[in-house]
Amino acid sequence: MYIAVFKNNGKDYLRLMESYRTKSANGKVSIRKRIIRNIGPLSKFDDGQPDYLERLRESFRLGNPIIQELEEYTGKKPPIEKYTIRLQEGDPECVGHPRLYSHVFLDKLLDELGLKYFFSSYKGFSKIEYDVLNFARLLIYGRILNPDSKIATLEQNDDYYTPLLKNFNPYNVYDTLDFIYANKEKIIRRMNTSLVKKWHRNPEIIFYDVTNFFFEIEEPDEDLFDEDGNEVAKGFRKMGVSKENRKQPIVQMGLFMDDQGLPISIESFPGNTLDCNTFKPAISKSIDGLDYARFIMIADRGMCNYQNVYHLLDQNNGYILAKSLRKSAANEQEWAYSDDGFIEVSKDFKYKSRIMKRTVKDENGKKRTITENVIVYWSRNFYERDLHENASFLETLEKILKNPKGFRVTDIQARRMRQFFKGDFLNSETGEVVEASKLRALLDKEKLEQFKAHFGFYQIITSEINIPPLEAIEKYHGLSRIEDQFRVMKSDLETRPVYVRTREHIEAHLLICLIALTMIRMIQYKICRSGLVPKTDDITLWSMGMPAYRIQRALNKWKVELLADDLYRFTDLDDPDLKLILDSFDIKIPVTLFRKTDLKSQIKNINMGI
């Protein structure tokens, strides 16, 4: 190796070079050169004394280079640097102000998704005057690290060791939401394209489920009509069936997730939209245009109607869907609950299946026949769950049986108990109601026992008739991972309650949460792939690697602190969770003090891919 000088824009620069031999196809040997390291401009290192270049080359040959950057190429370890920091009482430097450094790492994830360039490029060729990239960075990183309202998130700007925004108008945050909404499909497509190229996304299985988010407002949004009474726009925040039993307006959100546990897309719907009615418009808008190879869609029973099924089949895709046993035809229930045909895997699990042909109508009313595998299974875990969920209701029935005269029921309880009343409870001709003291005789114990006998049973249907039933059941149970994504959004990312009010800003807010969720899942996935955490049989824990709240806490500990003499030190690099994240991405930060110019370079060689 030797030191060479080259010119760039009329200035002399130093390089460390190496010569090597190469042989051509005809056996001719030639000498070539390659660059080992670009050292920098000669003027940066020249001490002004005569023959600097000769002295530099000689010091390098002797293994004691006068440029510190060359020491690692001499085979000798550089001397340990010692620091002397002088402070006196009253100096401002006596008070520490650690600031977040983790945004430099989050920048790498955002770039991996292709979004850093996406946001910055739009400012370059559009008329946008505000800093859309750094507003977006602040909103996304704030959602990961310290979720808060939009304005409160802007106030976090100075929490980073290099503030993301400078001289900004805070109300441009709402312009940023408008930009994100207007480019929602492009953003989702860019994320998907990047994950296909860099994380090899090509899902064989896609999961879909629906949740909703509540709004702390008194009244739902009204539908808008023109002067002729024609509907112009539907209200977005509507009363519906809240997943959290809230008596407030909600918005429905459908989430697609791939078989690596990484989100694909979201779609939003008015709060009064039925779950099954979200599926087709969501998949048409989000998935059909992504050019995936054939996949199997897995969804809960709320999505099980045959218009949705036909849409999947017509796109040459498959499905594994849960289907309600209680709402199935009587002959199907008779087969499902019969002891005949069950294969007992253990005392806690049994299953059976059969191939069925169904003739149903598609969305155009045309009758079509499909062939599917119907799988019914019983699990003790499901039985215990059903027993727990119905414990209060069953206790109420027992109390009525023991003391019907002195027990009162609410309207809700009465409606639910109606299925267990005998037909002679009410005379439909005279309207006469039997006295409460005779209520004991009106409860049908046979129906009650039949109701409890159905505990623990579950049914799924699949187009994949060649997949073994146990494999189909296992694939379906992967749907539980999407429920974990909802929990992360609602707890760690604090997606709700939602404080923005227009549909555009609501959808932009949910997309920001999706980006933040994807970045957390990327961290979890890398931790899992690192081999640094013990594998467990629990698919949910193994797929996470580290829960989101611990990632959030660890990234908030990753800070730098300015000391005297313009020196910085990292904080909490020995924190176990932060260390696991760094090790999973092969980030090695030496135990030393840094100049500001050296800080960002600490993670430039991050191992981001899979």
Side-chain angles (χ1 to χ4, degrees):
M1 289 185 289
Y2 61 94
I3 297 169
V5 179
F6 73 100
K7 286 191 178 293
N8 185 8
N9 293 327
K11 293 183 178 181
D12 289 331
Y13 282 78
L14 300 175
R15 274 180 179 166
L16 183 63
M17 304 287 292
E18 182 180 56
S19 299
Y20 66 99
R21 295 176 181 272
T22 183
K23 185 181 292 187
S24 63
N26 59 12
K28 184 178 180 180
V29 176
S30 59
I31 304 297
R32 294 181 180 272
K33 300 176 182 180
R34 58 186 167 208
I35 300 171
I36 302 300
R37 178 167 181 170
N38 287 310
I39 303 170
L42 176 60
S43 59
K44 177 181 177 181
F45 305 101
D46 194 342
D47 57 12
Q49 302 299 317
D51 302 323
Y52 173 77
L53 194 57
E54 291 182 14
R55 287 187 286 114
L56 173 63
R57 286 169 171 160
E58 180 67 10
S59 67
F60 181 70
R61 186 181 67 80
L62 296 174
N64 189 29
I66 57 179
I67 293 180
Q68 184 178 353
E69 286 82 350
L70 295 174
E71 290 177 348
E72 61 181 291
Y73 301 98
T74 64
K76 294 183 178 181
K77 292 184 178 180
I80 296 176
E81 187 174 359
K82 297 182 179 180
Y83 310 100
T84 301
I85 297 175
R86 294 184 179 274
L87 292 171
Q88 68 179 31
E89 185 178 354
D91 282 350
E93 289 88 351
C94 289
V95 179
H97 297 281
R99 299 182 186 276
L100 286 167
Y101 181 83
S102 49
H103 69 291
V104 179
F105 170 66
L106 296 177
D107 274 344
K108 297 287 187 179
L109 295 175
L110 194 69
D111 196 41
E112 192 77 355
L113 291 173
L115 295 184
K116 197 172 179 183
Y117 176 78
F118 179 88
F119 287 118
S120 61
S121 63
Y122 263 82
K123 181 175 173 61
F125 63 77
S126 69
K127 296 181 180 179
I128 296 176
E129 296 182 358
Y130 59 93
D131 192 348
V132 63
L133 168 62
N134 285 316
F135 270 106
R137 288 172 71 204
L138 200 55
L139 290 172
I140 295 167
Y141 302 168
R143 188 56 50 182
I144 294 173
L145 299 171
N146 296 292
D148 213 326
S149 68
K150 301 298 176 284
I151 296 299
T153 299
L154 295 185
E155 294 173 356
Q156 299 171 12
N157 187 48
D158 291 332
D159 293 345
Y160 301 93
Y161 95 89
T162 51
L164 305 184
L165 288 167
K166 298 178 181 178
N167 303 320
F168 62 93
N169 178 352
Y171 292 101
N172 284 143
V173 71
Y174 299 108
D175 297 321
T176 304
L177 293 177
D178 290 332
F179 173 86
I180 291 173
Y181 171 78
N183 292 278
K184 175 182 173 182
E185 292 182 26
K186 293 179 182 177
I187 290 171
I188 290 175
R189 183 173 291 276
R190 176 62 62 90
M191 291 170 63
N192 180 72
T193 301
S194 298
L195 289 173
V196 167
K197 289 181 178 179
K198 299 179 180 180
W199 288 57
H200 315 305
R201 168 182 274 173
N202 187 20
E204 296 180 0
I205 291 174
I206 294 179
F207 300 96
Y208 179 75
D209 205 353
V210 176
T211 191
N212 45 56
F213 301 95
F214 66 86
F215 294 75
E216 292 183 335
I217 57 176
E218 295 295 328
E219 298 293 333
D221 294 337
E222 294 183 355
D223 300 330
L224 299 180
F225 298 87
D226 60 20
E227 295 178 354
D228 299 325
N230 300 314
E231 187 177 75
V232 177
K234 287 185 175 295
F236 200 48
R237 299 173 296 178
K238 291 286 192 179
M239 300 303 296
V241 181
S242 170
K243 305 289 185 180
E244 298 157 272
N245 298 315
R246 292 273 183 167
K247 303 300 181 183
Q248 294 161 304
I250 59 173
V251 162
Q252 293 273 68
M253 187 200 77
L255 172 66
F256 293 96
M257 184 184 78
D258 68 16
D259 44 5
Q260 296 179 11
L262 292 169
I264 299 176
S265 179
I266 56 170
E267 290 298 333
S268 306
F269 302 89
N272 56 0
T273 308
L274 295 176
D275 287 3
C276 62
N277 292 339
T278 68
F279 181 81
K280 187 178 177 183
I283 193 174
S284 300
K285 194 171 183 180
S286 294
I287 304 298
D288 290 348
L290 292 181
D291 301 324
Y292 289 146
R294 185 181 187 275
F295 60 81
I296 300 172
M297 180 65 69
I298 297 181
D300 211 342
R301 55 193 175 194
M303 261 47 73
C304 186
N305 72 40
Y306 283 95
Q307 284 71 38
N308 293 337
V309 165
Y310 277 127
H311 182 84
L312 289 167
L313 296 177
D314 289 343
Q315 297 290 323
N316 194 36
N317 296 312
Y319 61 87
I320 300 175
L321 303 174
K323 185 179 179 183
S324 172
L325 266 172
R326 298 187 187 281
K327 296 180 181 179
S328 297
N331 62 329
E332 293 181 17
Q333 290 191 43
E334 182 180 355
W335 170 80
Y337 294 126
S338 169
D339 290 335
D340 296 337
F342 271 105
I343 299 174
E344 189 170 305
V345 178
S346 70
K347 64 178 182 179
D348 296 325
F349 187 86
K350 61 182 180 179
Y351 73 93
K352 64 179 176 180
S353 66
R354 63 176 178 174
I355 306 298
M356 289 188 63
K357 289 185 179 292
R358 300 183 190 273
T359 301
V360 294
K361 293 181 180 179
D362 62 17
E363 62 179 348
N364 299 315
K366 181 181 178 181
K367 288 186 176 181
R368 297 170 62 177
T369 301
I370 60 173
T371 302
E372 61 187 11
N373 195 4
V374 180
I375 305 168
V376 172
Y377 56 100
W378 179 91
S379 161
R380 185 167 299 280
N381 288 335
F382 286 177
Y383 175 82
E384 298 291 344
R385 182 195 65 186
D386 289 343
L387 200 61
H388 175 74
E389 290 178 352
N390 290 278
S392 178
F393 175 63
L394 294 174
E395 184 180 354
T396 300
L397 290 178
E398 290 296 328
K399 288 180 179 179
I400 292 174
L401 285 169
K402 291 179 180 179
N403 185 20
K405 188 174 181 178
F407 197 83
R408 295 183 179 181
V409 296
T410 65
D411 290 340
I412 295 176
Q413 289 172 325
R415 285 195 296 271
R416 190 175 181 192
M417 287 189 295
R418 190 173 298 151
Q419 61 181 307
F420 304 110
F421 291 157
K422 290 187 176 180
D424 57 350
F425 175 71
L426 176 69
N427 188 323
S428 59
E429 294 181 359
T430 65
E432 181 183 1
V433 180
V434 177
E435 295 177 10
S437 61
K438 299 181 180 179
L439 184 59
R440 182 192 299 271
L442 298 177
L443 281 173
D444 194 328
K445 290 185 177 181
E446 184 178 340
K447 288 183 178 179
L448 182 57
E449 292 302 318
Q450 186 181 16
F451 172 71
K452 291 192 288 186
H454 295 170
F455 287 2
F457 285 90
Y458 211 79
Q459 177 178 243
I460 60 176
I461 57 174
T462 177
S463 59
E464 311 305 291
I465 58 177
N466 293 322
I467 291 182
L470 286 178
E471 183 179 339
I473 293 170
E474 182 181 4
K475 290 180 184 297
Y476 173 76
H477 284 176
L479 188 63
S480 63
R481 286 184 290 174
I482 205 169
E483 295 172 358
D484 177 67
Q485 311 310 305
F486 292 151
R487 284 192 292 271
V488 171
M489 292 184 76
K490 292 183 177 183
S491 56
D492 305 293
L493 301 183
E494 297 184 20
T495 303
R496 53 77 171 121
V498 185
Y499 292 110
V500 288
R501 61 182 183 84
T502 67
R503 177 164 189 162
E504 294 80 5
H505 290 176
I506 292 168
E507 293 208 33
H509 167 76
L510 293 177
L511 182 53
I512 288 168
C513 294
L514 176 77
I515 297 169
L517 175 65
T518 304
M519 292 168 70
I520 287 177
R521 287 296 296 128
M522 292 167 74
I523 296 172
Q524 291 174 326
Y525 192 75
K526 282 287 289 187
I527 292 173
C528 290
R529 299 268 299 190
S530 70
L532 298 173
V533 292
K535 190 171 182 179
T536 172
D537 292 334
D538 189 325
I539 186 172
T540 302
L541 292 177
W542 171 238
S543 68
M544 291 192 306
M546 181 189 294
Y549 77 91
R550 283 171 51 191
I551 292 175
Q552 191 177 64
R553 185 174 61 193
L555 293 180
N556 271 294
K557 288 185 175 182
W558 194 3
K559 296 180 179 181
V560 291
E561 183 178 19
L562 176 61
L563 304 174
D565 301 327
D566 197 34
L567 289 169
Y568 287 82
R569 69 174 175 182
F570 282 99
T571 65
D572 290 310
L573 289 180
D574 55 350
D575 175 79
D577 284 346
L578 179 54
K579 186 176 185 304
L580 178 56
I581 293 172
L582 298 180
D583 289 346
S584 298
F585 285 86
D586 292 333
I587 298 174
K588 309 297 182 186
I589 299 179
V591 182
T592 184
L593 299 184
F594 299 87
R595 300 291 179 185
K596 190 169 185 177
T597 53
D598 299 324
L599 285 178
K600 191 171 183 179
S601 64
Q602 294 311 304
I603 61 171
K604 65 180 180 181
N605 296 321
I606 184 172
N607 177 19
M608 186 60 70
I610 63 170

